[in-house]
Amino acid sequence: MAHTDSGMELHDRFAIPGVLRIGAGNGELPCITVTAEPASAEIYLHGAHVTHFQPRGSTPLLFMSKSSQFAPGKPIRGGIPLIFPWFGARASDKTSPAHGFARLMPWDIESADLRADGSVRVVLTLASDDATLAQWPHAFSLRLIVIVASFLDITLEIRNRSAQEMQFEEAMHTYLKVGNIRQTTVEGLADVELVDKVAAGERRKESSEPIRFLGETDRVYLHTTSATTVRDVANSRLITVEKEGSDATVVWNPWIAKAKAMADFGDEEWPDMLCIESANALDCVVTLAPSATHRMRAKISVAPL
Ligand code: BG6
């Protein structure tokens, strides 16, 4: 299996001179560094985790915590954690890792290509094994297709390799870097039904106004396929998250107390980030027939305000 290869062996197999290299990143974890004509990016094989994306001539789009761990079996804080096969705490077993195991596992590289338009396409894979089957009784294979263009285009493919239907939740838990959360607003979720995790799971409808942030925010918006736009006023930019195959959107900022309570998140970092997660979670769980494949895709782009 490729995930037993060292960064150097992977580099020899997949490097693209001047554009893509593979080496040891933080915590010595294997990391793909892309320096393409339209953008730069970094992808850790641990969790197939995009930790950096920056269009040329622009500033970084993704927030990364300075307190993040980079260690086998631990989640990375920031970038784009991939959530699968359950979202948040597992309802049937609180001792299972929050947000599933996909973000905690080493993925393999399937391919890395420079395309005619200068963008780079990287495909990573993860398959069920004895360790995942011990936690979740379904055989599966995952592919993550990352396109580093002037925008970031990510597709998570999930194939059911078992003989039974399988039900799962998933998310691209995207940490956007914002200049100041207090000056940030979100559009695209007007009038949508939501589950408010800060209010003990209360269900209500979002207002028709842009969303503003005045305290801890942890909401799962249900049955929405709309694009979301983030007005990052302090950075004079508009970030757009378009999506396909995703019926839920999660909006999260921990604010002061929760930031302090998280060991792998700086006490003062909460004003600098906002999670907009393309997801299928809670009422929007996915049921997949044997041999069927589900695809969820997000395209994240930035424009001046
Ligand atoms: C969000 C959840 O998606 O992720 C929050 O809605 C949670 O409830 C947050 O706190 C971070 O989760 P974790 O496991 O990465 O600390």
Side-chain angles (χ1 to χ4, degrees), residues 75-77 81 83 87-89 97-99 103 171 173 175 197 216-220 250-252 254 258 262 264 275 277:
I76 294 172
R77 177 72 68 193
I83 308 308
F87 178 81
H99 285 324
R103 67 174 175 168
H173 193 305
Y175 285 75
K197 292 172 79 175
E216 184 184 350
T217 303
D218 191 356
R219 301 178 194 158
V220 183
V250 182
V251 177
W252 180 62
K258 185 143 190 191
M262 288 189 290
D264 60 346
C275 285
E277 308 170 32

Side-chain angles (χ1 to χ4, degrees), residues 186-238:
V186 172
E187 286 165 57
L189 296 166
D191 304 317
V192 173
E193 180 193 357
L194 68 94
V195 173
D196 191 342
K197 292 172 79 175
V198 173
E202 174 194 285
R203 284 175 184 251
R204 59 190 160 82
K205 238 181 170 196
E206 185 52 85
S207 74
S208 50
E209 298 298 309
I211 301 166
R212 293 178 188 282
F213 297 88
L214 305 166
E216 184 184 350
T217 303
D218 191 356
R219 301 178 194 158
V220 183
Y221 291 85
L222 300 168
H223 308 296
T224 174
T225 56
S226 305
T228 306
T229 50
V230 176
R231 234 168 232 281
D232 176 11
V233 173
N235 281 329
S236 304
R237 64 183 185 175
L238 194 67

Side-chain angles (χ1 to χ4, degrees), residues 2-277:
H3 65 244
T4 56
D5 291 351
S6 70
M8 198 169 294
E9 283 162 333
L10 292 171
H11 182 82
D12 291 345
R13 285 175 60 198
F14 295 106
I16 307 170
V19 174
L20 184 147
R21 64 190 156 80
I22 302 158
N26 290 315
E28 298 298 310
L29 296 175
C31 177
I32 303 172
T33 304
V34 177
T35 320
E37 195 274 317
S40 61
E42 255 178 28
I43 310 164
Y44 277 77
L45 300 198
H46 180 66
H49 199 124
V50 179
T51 54
H52 170 73
F53 174 73
Q54 181 170 8
R56 192 168 289 269
S58 185
T59 47
L61 193 56
L62 301 175
F63 164 88
M64 267 302 304
S65 172
K66 292 189 179 66
S67 304
S68 178
Q69 309 184 80
F70 287 87
K74 306 280 186 200
I76 294 172
R77 177 72 68 193
I80 311 183
L82 290 181
I83 308 308
F84 172 86
W86 55 86
F87 178 81
R90 190 179 192 182
S92 60
D93 177 9
K94 302 288 180 216
T95 63
S96 294
H99 285 324
F101 45 69
R103 67 174 175 168
L104 306 176
M105 296 179 66
W107 291 47
D108 293 321
I109 306 179
E110 179 183 292
S111 63
D113 298 292
L114 177 62
R115 307 197 312 167
D117 61 1
S119 65
V120 170
R121 182 177 186 269
V122 177
V123 182
L124 302 179
T125 60
L126 180 75
S128 50
D129 61 14
D130 290 347
T132 69
L133 290 167
Q135 297 179 74
W136 195 65
H138 300 282
F140 63 82
S141 53
L142 307 185
R143 289 175 85 229
L144 185 78
I145 302 144
V146 181
I147 297 173
V148 178
S150 58
F151 48 84
L152 183 62
D153 182 338
I154 303 189
T155 302
L156 179 59
E157 274 184 15
I158 299 178
R159 183 169 168 81
N160 182 357
R161 295 202 173 272
S162 68
Q164 290 84 35
E165 261 188 1
M166 76 183 199
Q167 271 206 345
F168 60 86
E169 296 176 295
E170 61 179 335
M172 294 170 179
H173 193 305
T174 308
Y175 285 75
L176 299 174
K177 190 176 172 66
V178 298
N180 182 348
I181 189 71
R182 294 181 194 273
Q183 294 173 33
T184 302
T185 57
V186 172
E187 286 165 57
L189 296 166
D191 304 317
V192 173
E193 180 193 357
L194 68 94
V195 173
D196 191 342
K197 292 172 79 175
V198 173
E202 174 194 285
R203 284 175 184 251
R204 59 190 160 82
K205 238 181 170 196
E206 185 52 85
S207 74
S208 50
E209 298 298 309
I211 301 166
R212 293 178 188 282
F213 297 88
L214 305 166
E216 184 184 350
T217 303
D218 191 356
R219 301 178 194 158
V220 183
Y221 291 85
L222 300 168
H223 308 296
T224 174
T225 56
S226 305
T228 306
T229 50
V230 176
R231 234 168 232 281
D232 176 11
V233 173
N235 281 329
S236 304
R237 64 183 185 175
L238 194 67
I239 303 167
T240 303
V241 182
E242 295 163 85
K243 57 179 198 159
E244 290 168 16
S246 156
D247 284 342
T249 299
V250 182
V251 177
W252 180 62
N253 180 287
W255 219 255
I256 301 165
K258 185 143 190 191
K260 284 204 172 114
M262 288 189 290
D264 60 346
F265 189 95
D267 291 358
E268 310 300 333
E269 290 181 325
W270 59 271
D272 311 338
M273 53 72 65
L274 173 64
C275 285
I276 300 286
E277 308 170 32

Side-chain angles (χ1 to χ4, degrees), residues 286-304:
V286 177
T287 303
L288 200 57
S291 302
T293 300
H294 180 271
R295 285 182 188 79
M296 178 170 75
R297 180 175 183 186
K299 179 181 163 192
I300 309 169
S301 52
V302 61

